[in-house]
Amino acid sequence: MAEPVRVCRLTDQEGQKLQQIVRRGSTSSVRYRRAMMLLASAGGNRVPVIAQLVQADEDTVRDVIHRFNEIGLACLDPRWAGGRPRLLSRDDEDYVVQTATTRPTKLGQPFTRWSIRKLATYLRRVHGRVIRIGREALRCLLRRRGITFQRTKTWKESPDPERDAKLDRIEHVLEHFPDRVFAFDEFGPLGIRPIAGSCWAKQGKPDRLPATYRRTHGVTYFHGCYSVGDDRLWGVNRRRKGTANTLAALKSIRAARPDGAPIYVILDNLSAHTGVDIRRWAEKKKVDLCFTPTYASWANPIEAHFGPLRQFTLANSNHPSHPAQTRVLHRYLCWRNTNARHPDVLAAQRRERARIRSERGIRWGGRPLAPAA
């Protein structure tokens, strides 16, 4: 009796590569199915079982296994043989494209999206117009006509009946009172775990972070405040969101302008921001709360500054505790405020440098500067 066909023993590198391809599924379907065949064979599955798993002919599975035993992982990229392509009329191609871009449920099929196999099967069985085309030819046709497999996009539309009025209010205060406008929002939750990121490293040798962790530290939320006129960002970490923590942040904003004149704070309409105590305090302290519309937090100026905060303090990190994470956040905020790129700040820095050069008589452009009067 002949020995059952199976792959030779995999090396660690080969096993990890095949497992990566099968888990991620981000490669071509041909490489994915072949990697699944090899991985299933390495796990002790017989050829009939593998053929049923990947919906392929048993001889195809045997050929892939034999090819791997000969040349290794190079068998994942088949060398397609030549031959006369199947000829379809222009109308047939248009029909294939139209069918591929139509939701299957509209055509009476019990699934929400097409696969190459399901689409080819449907085209062969459709009533009144039979199109016989192989899976690879179908894939090439769709690619040639600009049809690719993509993720569905979603979006949210604001149901707020006062959407336009709120946006007009925010734009008005930003345009006419930029030195009196502040923004507030929470950022989080912030957990204690290794977070993947990016870094500069030699090609193929990125920095490594541990992938195992235990969630025993809980989470915190960064309560951030941003001064539009000063281009200054500050905040504090809290264990939870709430009216008391929001009120404390608003008080720190009010302290940034202690002159008693009205100020404007842009924030979203979270329930922790709209309490009676907050509204009463804001009215007493001349703090005008400008709420963003529902599902329109992008209108808050502080949102753009949370991206760098995440990228340069949380991504590519493995903080041991919340206090250590908080110290890193505050060090970044100090650096960021010191190196602010706001036009007014830059102009003031240039004027200060010019004054110092003038006082010291430093040469500039080949000519000595006259000392300041």
Side-chain angles (χ1 to χ4, degrees):
M1 183 176 180
E3 291 290 334
V5 178
R6 63 176 299 173
V7 298
C8 58
R9 180 173 296 178
L10 304 179
T11 65
D12 291 340
Q13 291 78 9
E14 291 173 340
Q16 292 172 4
K17 182 63 176 179
L18 293 175
Q19 191 176 40
Q20 181 185 42
I21 294 174
V22 172
R23 284 185 176 181
R24 295 184 178 180
S26 58
T27 184
S28 68
S29 60
V30 175
R31 286 174 57 87
Y32 174 78
R33 294 177 72 241
R34 291 192 168 212
M36 188 180 295
M37 295 178 193
L38 299 176
L39 202 60
S41 179
N45 296 281
R46 298 295 183 92
V47 170
V49 177
I50 301 174
Q52 183 68 24
L53 175 65
V54 299
Q55 292 295 303
D57 189 76
E58 293 185 12
D59 290 337
T60 302
V61 176
R62 293 189 183 94
D63 291 341
V64 172
I65 294 175
H66 287 311
R67 193 65 175 162
F68 173 81
N69 292 337
E70 293 175 2
I71 63 175
L73 291 179
C75 73
L76 296 177
D77 299 312
R79 296 179 179 177
W80 302 110
R84 187 177 70 87
R86 184 179 297 274
L87 299 179
L88 294 178
S89 67
R90 184 70 178 183
D91 291 340
D92 290 339
E93 290 188 358
D94 293 341
Y95 181 77
V96 171
V97 172
Q98 180 183 358
T99 304
T101 54
T102 302
R103 290 183 68 88
T105 51
K106 292 184 178 181
L107 301 177
Q109 301 303 304
F111 29 84
T112 59
R113 68 170 180 86
W114 294 111
S115 67
I116 292 294
R117 186 185 302 276
K118 289 181 172 61
L119 180 57
T121 303
Y122 174 81
L123 292 172
R124 286 194 295 267
R125 297 177 181 177
V126 63
H127 178 70
R129 188 168 192 170
V130 179
I131 298 179
R132 297 186 178 278
I133 184 172
R135 294 194 300 271
E136 186 60 27
L138 177 58
R139 184 182 299 108
C140 293
L141 169 61
L142 295 177
R143 185 177 184 85
R144 187 171 64 252
R145 297 293 292 272
I147 307 300
T148 58
F149 192 75
Q150 306 174 33
R151 286 189 176 275
T152 305
K153 300 294 184 181
T154 60
W155 76 93
K156 290 183 178 180
E157 292 183 353
S158 176
D160 197 329
E162 301 179 358
R163 175 183 181 275
D164 292 334
K166 291 180 178 179
L167 292 178
D168 291 341
R169 176 62 173 165
I170 293 174
E171 292 175 0
H172 175 77
V173 298
L174 286 173
E175 181 179 356
H176 294 87
F177 313 104
D179 293 336
R180 313 292 301 182
V181 177
F182 297 83
F184 167 75
D185 199 6
E186 294 91 354
F187 172 69
L190 307 179
I192 299 301
R193 63 181 182 87
I195 301 177
S198 55
C199 67
W200 293 99
K202 289 186 176 181
Q203 186 174 3
K205 296 183 179 180
D207 287 349
R208 301 289 183 177
L209 291 176
T212 55
Y213 60 91
R214 297 179 62 189
R215 298 177 183 268
T216 59
H217 297 270
V219 299
T220 60
Y221 296 88
F222 176 74
H223 290 60
C225 307
Y226 176 65
S227 173
V228 175
D230 300 333
D231 191 24
R232 190 166 68 91
L233 181 66
W234 73 95
V236 63
N237 280 13
R238 304 287 189 182
R239 278 293 180 177
R240 64 182 184 88
K241 301 178 182 179
T243 301
N245 293 333
T246 300
L247 186 57
L250 294 178
K251 288 181 178 179
S252 71
I253 292 177
R254 176 73 267 190
R257 294 292 187 274
D259 52 10
I263 62 173
Y264 307 90
V265 180
I266 301 173
L267 67 170
D268 58 40
N269 56 5
L270 185 70
S271 59
H273 304 166
T274 60
V276 177
D277 294 340
I278 292 179
R279 292 182 181 271
R280 186 183 299 116
W281 175 88
E283 183 178 359
K284 179 180 179 181
K285 297 296 183 179
K286 298 182 180 180
V287 177
D288 189 347
L289 302 179
C290 303
F291 294 103
T292 60
T294 305
Y295 298 151
S297 58
W298 49 264
N300 194 332
I302 200 174
E303 290 291 339
H305 299 277
F306 281 162
L309 187 66
R310 178 189 296 273
Q311 289 296 323
F312 292 106
T313 61
L314 299 180
N316 197 29
S317 71
N318 185 16
H319 302 303
S321 63
H322 280 298
Q325 186 184 70
T326 302
R327 286 193 296 269
V328 171
L329 284 172
H330 286 171
R331 284 200 301 267
Y332 171 79
L333 291 177
C334 292
W335 177 90
R336 182 235 177 255
N337 293 331
T338 302
N339 296 273
R341 307 300 297 177
H342 192 277
D344 295 340
V345 177
L346 291 177
Q349 292 175 349
R350 285 195 295 267
R351 289 195 298 269
E352 180 65 17
R353 287 195 296 267
R355 183 187 63 81
I356 295 176
R357 286 196 300 267
S358 177
E359 290 179 352
R360 296 178 179 178
I362 299 177
R363 289 182 174 272
W364 182 259
R367 292 171 296 180
L369 295 175

